[in-house]
Amino acid sequence: MIYRFDILGSTNDEARNALYGEGDVVIAEHQTAGRGQRGHTWESAVGENLTFSLILEPRFLPVNEQFLLTEVLALGLVDTLAEFGIEARIKWTNDIYVGDKKIVGMLVENSLGGGCLARTIAGIGLNVNQTEFDPSLPNPTSMSLVAGREFDREEVLARLHHHIMALYEALRCGEKAMLQSRYRSTMYRLGEMHPYALADGTIFEGIIRGVRPSGELQIEHSADGTLHEYLFKQVEFVIKK
Ligand code: BTN
């Protein structure tokens, strides 16, 4: 079911209500307190984009395999954008990029139970028809800016739901290797040399070689050829504006 609201604080907060179950979508035209990663806010022009939360109940998925859900969601977005003629890549962990610009942000919140995931709230902000962004945002883009035309947001939402649920069913059926290999081959900057920043501000040049099944990013340091593994927040991409 799709539950529509004109205005909400955050769809992720509304989606916590036990009224919503597996496969349901909570969508708002306007979020007054949209939340982003790392405590940031998520700004989105009213009525131009898609800001929604998808509820999943992946009780079959052990906690230590939860990165597979990130893979399902990210690939679902990439598949949807591809259907609309937009080639996108996954910036580890779950941003979606076109070129060096961000077109989708995701805030995934899991609750656990008995060693497995009990409930996942996948908050997705997809820039669809917005063409002007606050200059303080680092590198935003939208489907409209990339393709030079407007999109029907209802159609995009329907296809997105279809693609994510198809990959989610593949995960339920155990197609883990497919998800891992597709995620790896769709990674932004895979196999290219670029600068990265460590949490202490140190900058280094490296090449992304892949991601561990548990989600750690694998970067080969160009200085000495050693392979390092990074957890979320331990390393940042350095991207020119
Ligand atoms: C990011 O910082 O990249 C994550 C942005 C996530 C935004 C979406 S919009 C719908 C859902 N509700 C929220 O409050 N946040 C997510």
Side-chain angles (χ1 to χ4, degrees):
M1 280 272 291
I2 300 184
Y3 295 86
R4 296 173 189 281
F5 294 83
D6 286 333
I7 186 161
L8 279 177
S10 156
T11 58
N12 267 33
D13 295 340
E14 173 63 24
R16 287 206 191 111
N17 191 323
L19 168 76
Y20 309 116
E22 175 109 302
D24 285 344
V25 167
V26 172
I27 184 162
E29 284 294 297
H30 179 196
Q31 292 188 117
T32 54
R35 293 191 282 116
Q37 291 165 15
R38 303 167 194 248
H40 292 139
T41 56
W42 182 256
E43 306 296 337
S44 177
V46 176
E48 295 189 9
N49 300 316
L50 287 171
T51 48
F52 68 95
S53 302
L54 170 67
I55 293 96
L56 296 171
E57 295 173 338
R59 295 199 183 93
F60 59 89
L61 193 65
V63 172
N64 62 3
E65 294 186 16
Q66 61 185 287
F67 191 69
L68 284 159
L69 260 191
T70 298
E71 296 178 338
V72 161
L73 295 163
L75 289 168
L77 277 149
V78 167
D79 287 351
T80 305
L81 290 167
E83 190 178 320
F84 289 98
I86 295 173
E87 197 195 320
R89 299 192 76 80
I90 304 164
K91 175 172 164 280
W92 177 86
T93 53
N94 60 10
D95 287 338
I96 307 298
Y97 268 50
V98 177
D100 288 321
K101 293 180 188 262
K102 177 165 166 170
I103 192 164
V104 183
M106 252 190 271
L107 181 66
V108 181
E109 298 178 308
N110 291 319
S111 36
L112 314 176
C116 284
L117 272 74
R119 189 175 169 87
T120 294
I121 297 175
I124 295 175
L126 166 59
N127 295 331
V128 182
N129 291 324
Q130 185 171 347
T131 52
E132 286 176 15
F133 290 88
D134 188 322
S136 69
L137 292 173
N139 51 354
T141 193
S142 66
M143 292 177 69
S144 212
L145 280 174
V146 173
R149 69 173 180 96
E150 291 219 334
F151 291 85
D152 177 342
R153 289 182 301 144
E154 286 310 312
E155 193 188 348
V156 177
L157 178 63
R159 298 311 295 156
L160 193 40
H161 191 265
H162 165 84
H163 282 292
I164 291 176
M165 294 313 283
L167 290 164
Y168 183 64
E169 288 312 312
L171 171 59
R172 197 198 296 278
C173 294
E175 291 185 45
K176 298 175 189 175
M178 175 277 285
L179 292 167
Q180 283 159 356
S181 124
R182 280 204 58 208
Y183 181 97
R184 180 185 179 278
S185 63
T186 313
M187 286 175 88
Y188 171 69
R189 288 188 171 177
L190 180 72
E192 300 169 9
M193 200 194 301
H194 290 283
Y196 295 87
L198 297 175
D200 67 3
T202 312
I203 306 277
F204 68 93
E205 291 277 330
I207 302 172
I208 292 181
R209 292 299 182 195
V211 64
R212 299 229 323 139
S214 42
E216 292 89 347
L217 180 65
Q218 298 172 312
I219 305 183
E220 181 185 308
H221 284 224
S222 302
D224 59 4
T226 53
L227 192 67
H228 295 247
E229 295 181 346
Y230 294 101
L231 291 165
F232 185 56
K233 289 189 184 167
Q234 286 183 333
V235 70
E236 290 260 14
F237 290 63
V238 177
I239 300 171
K240 281 201 205 99
K241 254 195 143 189

